[in-house]
Amino acid sequence: MMVPNSFNDMFLFNAAVMGLSNNDWMNLILDQLDAIALNVANPYRLQEECEVLALVLSRYQGSFVLSEFKAVVLASLRSLVSSDWDSDHEVAWNWLWQNVERLLKQLLGKPPVQEKALTEVLSSLPEEALTQLRQEFFLNFFKLAPSGQDFFKQSLTRLYFIADKIIELCLEIYRQPRAMVEDISGLGLRHVGYAIPPELFGPFVGSAVEMFSLATTNETAIDGFKWAMQLVSKILVRAISEGSTVVMKAISTNDEISMKKAMATSPRGKRAQELLNISVGAQSISPFYWSIRSGNLNSAKAILQDLLTIRADRDVYYYACDDLFTRHPDVVKYLMTDVPALLNALFDGLVWRSRWISKGLRRVNYYVKHLVQDLEGQPSETLSWLEDYRDPTLISHETVIVVSDILWEGIKHQFLRRKIFFLWSLCLFLVSQSVLSALERTSGIQTALFVCRTLIYLTSLPKLFYDHVKLFCEDLRGGYVSRYFCIPIPQYLLAWQGCGSLILFWFLVVMCTLEPFYWCLGDGAEEVFSDRCKQGQEFKRIYSTFSCLTMMIYWSLSLNLSVFSMRLSAFILVCGRVTSEVGLFLLAFVFVILATATSITALDQSMEDFKGIPQSAMALTEIALSLFPPTLFDEMRHEEILLALILIFCMVVTIFLFSLLIAQLNQAYQHGFQDMHGYARLRRVSTAVAELECMSSKRWETFLASLSFDRPLEPWHRGHEDTYPDGLVASYITI
């Protein structure tokens, strides 16, 4: 018998009519009436429910009359099923309630007394007595059930913790009966995964009661402890019995063959439910997650492969992709954290390949709906998790590539729009500093220069200032701050785009303060816009230096646009990776020059180009780079030792170091290029994640609707018009 809302409403109405609307205790019984009625044919379960109800009623502050509840329920049942209600129903309800009332009356009044006595005894026991109680409990249990030693292979500290938890459960079930029933049911489900046989609970309870009776002579406390232990044992045994499916038993074997045999016993339509959700009361456990947490990875792999295998029964297809992501929306993150080895199996299972070939093409369906959107229709966090994982091999998996490309197609125009201002600023800076500055300075060119530079300062500086203040505040509020030498640094500055943008801001500030046009505005010159005044010429050189550096920063920041091309992005990343080899070469190059220069200055020779360490180092650098005049060696023919040193230097640098640099660059390129496409995709994913955070809800909904995730795929191969498994995204690849 289920308890629908209509019954609740009718119950409250009849209680009000009968003058019993203020009796809150009736709601306590009503909440458990469903479980009592469903288990009327199971006397053990009925007794368990009545014992729990007795504990709940014992916490009620006030008096209650059970016969009143019987009358209200009887009146409600007569009203709801008046057409079918007869004398047999009347007898059945009276019989049920008589049994429930009899069981409740046997227990009511005892729990508060037992709880008080048990609390007093436990609080009065010294620590030495509790330690001895813990020790003797497990020793006695192992004597009664030697096989129990196989399930308690923990340390002594862990065994003491278990003993303390047992005592805590016995107390808490008096204080919070319904909450503890749920917790104990969850504990029982976990015991299913541990494959603990229910036969051990009898000796376990008997041993606990026997040891507790030796610690005290308070009969009320002993009876209370025994009754609580028996109730806990009943709940655990029930949870284990209801949760002990064939699948859960096979998980503990950690054998793929056994696991597949166990899964094969389940019907196709119910297999996903049995692999993803086993419920006992309000508690549930996922066999798939449990196999991972218990370390049975072979079983977990078999479950995952079975869930993501498409099966057909005539026109009905069974594919548990939706069930998996509905039950575990964070499955990708969970596997990343606990068992990354299963990620490839997960992504492989989201791909379906047709066995039919047409015109050199094979159809491939990618079931990536749940990797693009979450259950609420918002952008999925999968790409964000993959970005944080930083695995170039995983990001290059074909399924992940499809997801990233789909999202990139949706946000690339938004990304480009966000870069329009930067591109405009770059072009304006390029025109003002490199194009117009190189032309003949007429009055029109001077005016154009002044206008362009003023536009740069008036538009770029406020925009950069606003962006950095916004990013700084966001990182500060979110706690995204790293410390280097006790200096807090926002995380956005750890990336080149953030750091380079900040450098660009300060360079533009310096250029604005040193701008020659502004220093010459008030000097009374004939030209309105001129940079040829005395003060302007004083700052012109340092201004041009910052202009050069700012131009380099602009171009380096523009490299972020390389995400539009994977090959270009990978090439830029490879260039960055091999710079370390160039750095090693430069270190060796400087060392050889310094060693040779100091050796030459210690030599008694007459050539002016090698007088002193700086002159010698400059001359050696020019020789190494073939910039020294060819007549040099003719001039040093009479300096045999100097000539020998120069020849040795040339051999070391031009033959050895440069050849070694080429070999290093070649090896570093071959080694790094294998992962560079993966890192390039990580860059694109990072950009996509940042853009998705800024995308409006309306634009996201429009983009999501364009993907048509809920539309079944059309038949593809003529002559095979069967409906393909409902696809989410279809892709075609050449074989």
Side-chain angles (χ1 to χ4, degrees):
M1 179 185 79
M2 302 300 292
V3 184
N5 291 333
S6 58
F7 179 80
N8 289 342
D9 296 338
M10 183 60 69
F11 180 90
L12 295 175
F13 173 76
N14 285 317
V17 170
M18 299 170 68
L20 303 174
S21 58
N22 294 326
N23 293 334
D24 296 335
W25 60 271
M26 287 189 177
N27 292 325
L28 300 177
I29 305 179
L30 189 63
D31 292 339
Q32 204 146 350
L33 184 61
D34 186 26
I36 291 174
L38 286 174
N39 296 282
V40 64
N42 186 346
Y44 296 102
R45 179 66 186 277
L46 181 63
Q47 183 177 2
E48 176 193 323
E49 295 297 337
C50 290
E51 289 177 352
V52 173
L53 181 57
L55 286 173
V56 173
L57 292 175
S58 68
R59 309 298 301 179
Y60 179 74
Q61 302 295 327
S63 59
F64 47 85
V65 181
L66 296 177
S67 58
E68 294 177 353
F69 180 84
K70 172 186 175 182
V72 176
V73 172
L74 186 59
S76 302
L77 291 173
R78 286 172 178 171
S79 302
L80 286 175
V81 289
S82 57
S83 58
D84 298 327
W85 190 265
D86 55 21
S87 58
D88 292 337
H89 293 89
E90 194 104 5
V91 172
W93 166 246
N94 288 325
W95 175 84
L96 170 61
W97 186 250
Q98 286 173 3
N99 283 278
V100 172
E101 190 172 356
R102 176 177 54 83
L103 293 172
L104 289 176
K105 287 182 177 179
Q106 291 176 358
L107 298 172
L108 289 175
K110 293 181 180 179
V113 178
Q114 292 173 340
E115 177 191 357
K116 181 179 179 181
L118 189 58
T119 304
E120 291 176 352
V121 169
L122 291 176
S123 60
S124 63
L125 286 177
E127 186 61 32
E128 295 79 7
L130 287 174
T131 303
Q132 185 178 2
L133 181 63
R134 300 185 191 109
Q135 293 175 344
E136 295 297 330
F137 164 65
F138 282 101
L139 291 175
N140 190 44
F141 170 64
F142 294 148
K143 289 179 182 178
L144 295 175
S147 60
Q149 299 180 65
D150 298 332
F151 301 95
F152 289 95
K153 297 179 180 180
Q154 296 90 349
S155 64
L156 194 62
T157 303
R158 179 65 180 174
L159 294 179
Y160 285 179
F161 171 78
I162 294 173
D164 291 338
K165 288 297 291 183
I166 293 169
I167 297 174
E168 181 182 344
L169 284 176
C170 292
L171 276 176
E172 288 299 319
I173 201 166
Y174 282 105
R175 298 168 181 171
Q176 306 176 67
R178 282 193 174 145
M180 291 308 300
V181 168
E182 299 300 327
D183 292 344
I184 296 169
S185 298
L187 181 63
L189 281 176
R190 291 194 292 273
H191 278 71
V192 174
Y194 295 134
I196 296 180
E199 294 79 13
L200 292 179
F201 284 95
F204 192 84
V205 172
S207 177
V209 174
E210 183 179 348
M211 291 302 101
F212 186 78
S213 62
L214 296 177
T216 181
T217 57
N218 190 325
E219 292 296 332
T220 305
I222 295 173
D223 292 340
F225 183 79
K226 180 180 180 180
W227 184 80
M229 280 293 299
Q230 289 175 344
L231 179 57
V232 170
S233 176
K234 289 178 184 177
I235 299 172
L236 285 173
V237 171
R238 173 178 56 83
I240 292 174
S241 300
E242 295 178 4
S244 293
T245 63
V246 178
V247 171
M248 287 297 289
K249 292 178 180 178
I251 287 175
S252 59
T253 64
N254 198 27
D255 180 67
E256 288 191 37
I257 297 177
S258 302
M259 196 70 224
K260 291 178 180 178
K261 290 180 180 179
M263 292 185 294
T265 60
S266 302
R268 293 174 181 173
K270 298 181 179 179
R271 188 175 301 180
Q273 181 70 16
E274 295 189 6
L275 296 178
L276 293 172
N277 189 23
I278 295 178
S279 299
V280 174
Q283 297 294 315
S284 64
I285 190 172
S286 169
F288 175 52
Y289 270 19
W290 174 256
S291 61
I292 295 174
R293 284 196 293 267
S294 60
N296 299 315
L297 301 186
N298 291 332
S299 298
K301 183 178 180 181
I303 292 175
L304 186 61
Q305 291 176 341
D306 189 87
L307 288 170
L308 299 179
T309 298
I310 298 176
R311 296 178 175 85
D313 185 5
R314 295 181 178 89
D315 294 335
V316 180
Y317 285 88
Y318 298 101
Y319 185 46
C321 173
D322 289 340
D323 300 272
L324 174 62
F325 283 94
T326 302
R327 179 70 170 92
H328 302 302
D330 61 340
V331 61
V332 175
K333 184 179 182 181
Y334 187 84
L335 293 182
M336 283 180 186
T337 305
D338 285 27
V339 52
L342 292 182
L343 284 170
N344 282 324
L346 171 64
F347 292 138
D348 288 340
L350 301 179
V351 183
W352 175 84
R353 293 177 174 84
S354 173
R355 60 191 179 94
W356 303 106
I357 301 172
S358 177
K359 298 180 181 180
L361 296 176
R362 183 193 300 272
R363 179 172 182 157
V364 180
N365 293 350
Y366 294 91
Y367 295 85
V368 295
K369 174 182 178 180
H370 298 285
L371 302 183
V372 175
Q373 66 176 73
D374 59 18
L375 298 178
E376 287 76 29
Q378 299 302 313
S380 173
E381 295 185 80
T382 301
L383 280 188
S384 177
W385 297 332
L386 290 169
E387 178 198 1
D388 295 337
Y389 194 59
R390 307 297 300 176
D391 186 348
T393 303
L394 184 63
I395 205 72
S396 300
H397 192 282
E398 57 178 317
T399 304
V400 181
I401 290 175
V402 169
V403 175
S404 61
D405 288 347
I406 289 172
L407 292 175
W408 177 250
E409 286 298 319
I411 59 93
K412 67 179 182 181
H413 299 294
Q414 174 181 311
F415 173 72
L416 189 58
R417 283 194 296 269
R418 291 166 61 87
K419 290 295 181 181
I420 287 177
F421 180 83
F422 171 79
L423 293 174
W424 175 83
S425 178
L426 170 61
C427 293
L428 190 62
F429 191 83
L430 177 65
V431 169
S432 67
Q433 303 298 326
S434 299
V435 178
L436 296 179
S437 297
L439 300 178
E440 184 179 353
R441 295 297 186 92
T442 63
S443 59
I445 296 296
Q446 292 287 91
T447 303
L449 275 172
F450 178 83
V451 171
C452 288
R453 293 182 181 180
T454 302
L455 279 176
I456 291 172
Y457 302 139
L458 290 179
T459 57
S460 296
L461 284 176
K463 177 69 166 55
L464 290 171
F465 180 77
Y466 170 78
D467 289 343
H468 283 284
V469 170
K470 178 183 176 182
L471 292 172
F472 179 82
C473 293
E474 288 178 354
D475 281 358
L476 204 62
R477 285 196 300 266
Y480 305 119
V481 178
S482 302
R483 291 187 176 273
Y484 292 90
F485 304 103
C486 300
I487 301 176
I489 299 177
Q491 285 193 1
Y492 85 94
L493 292 178
L494 301 180
W496 167 243
Q497 288 297 315
C499 181
S501 178
L502 183 62
I503 296 173
L504 176 64
F505 170 75
W506 286 112
F507 278 8
L508 288 175
V509 170
V510 174
M511 288 181 63
C512 183
T513 57
L514 298 177
E515 179 60 56
F517 280 104
Y518 298 159
W519 286 97
C520 295
L521 282 177
D523 65 345
E526 296 180 359
E527 295 180 314
V528 178
F529 303 114
S530 173
D531 60 349
R532 299 171 183 173
C533 64
K534 182 178 179 181
Q535 287 183 319
Q537 293 299 319
E538 290 178 358
F539 297 115
K540 190 171 184 179
R541 185 171 182 82
I542 187 171
Y543 174 85
S544 64
T545 301
F546 275 96
S547 175
C548 172
L549 295 174
T550 304
M551 183 67 73
M552 295 175 65
I553 295 295
Y554 262 117
W555 283 112
S556 62
L557 289 174
S558 68
L559 292 177
N560 192 37
L561 296 173
S562 64
V563 294
F564 284 94
S565 171
M566 286 294 96
R567 292 189 64 185
L568 179 59
S569 183
F571 175 76
I572 293 173
L573 288 173
V574 169
C575 293
R577 288 299 179 96
V578 299
T579 51
S580 60
E581 308 298 332
V582 179
L584 292 175
F585 164 77
L586 292 177
L587 182 62
F589 184 65
V590 170
F591 175 79
V592 173
I593 287 179
L594 183 60
T596 308
T598 53
S599 300
I600 290 175
T601 54
L603 179 67
D604 184 14
Q605 47 86 24
S606 58
M607 295 196 66
E608 292 297 329
D609 291 325
F610 295 95
K611 292 293 185 181
I613 295 177
Q615 296 89 333
S616 298
M618 181 60 68
L620 291 171
T621 303
E622 293 174 351
I623 292 172
L625 300 177
S626 300
L627 299 176
F628 213 84
T631 58
L632 171 67
F633 292 97
D634 294 334
E635 297 176 2
M636 64 174 63
R637 287 183 180 277
H638 59 282
E639 299 287 350
E640 294 83 359
I641 300 178
L642 177 61
L643 181 60
L645 286 173
I646 297 298
L647 291 175
I648 293 173
F649 170 78
C650 291
M651 290 171 55
V652 171
V653 173
T654 59
I655 297 177
F656 178 71
L657 286 184
F658 278 105
S659 299
L660 183 60
L661 174 63
I662 294 172
Q664 285 180 304
L665 292 178
N666 184 39
Q667 184 64 27
Y669 181 85
Q670 291 181 355
H671 178 73
F673 191 76
Q674 298 175 359
D675 293 333
M676 282 307 105
H677 278 282
Y679 284 113
R681 289 208 164 269
L682 278 172
R683 284 188 61 192
R684 175 177 284 187
V685 165
S686 178
T687 303
V689 169
E691 292 299 323
L692 284 173
E693 293 177 354
C694 303
M695 181 178 283
S696 64
S697 299
K698 183 177 180 181
R699 182 169 295 173
W700 168 254
E701 291 173 0
T702 303
F703 166 68
L704 206 59
S706 67
L707 297 178
S708 302
F709 276 152
D710 297 324
R711 177 176 57 84
L713 291 179
E714 73 285 353
W716 178 60
H717 193 273
R718 182 168 296 178
H720 301 276
E721 301 297 332
D722 55 322
T723 303
Y724 283 89
D726 289 349
L728 306 178
V729 176
S731 176
Y732 300 86
I733 61 173
T734 304
I735 60 170

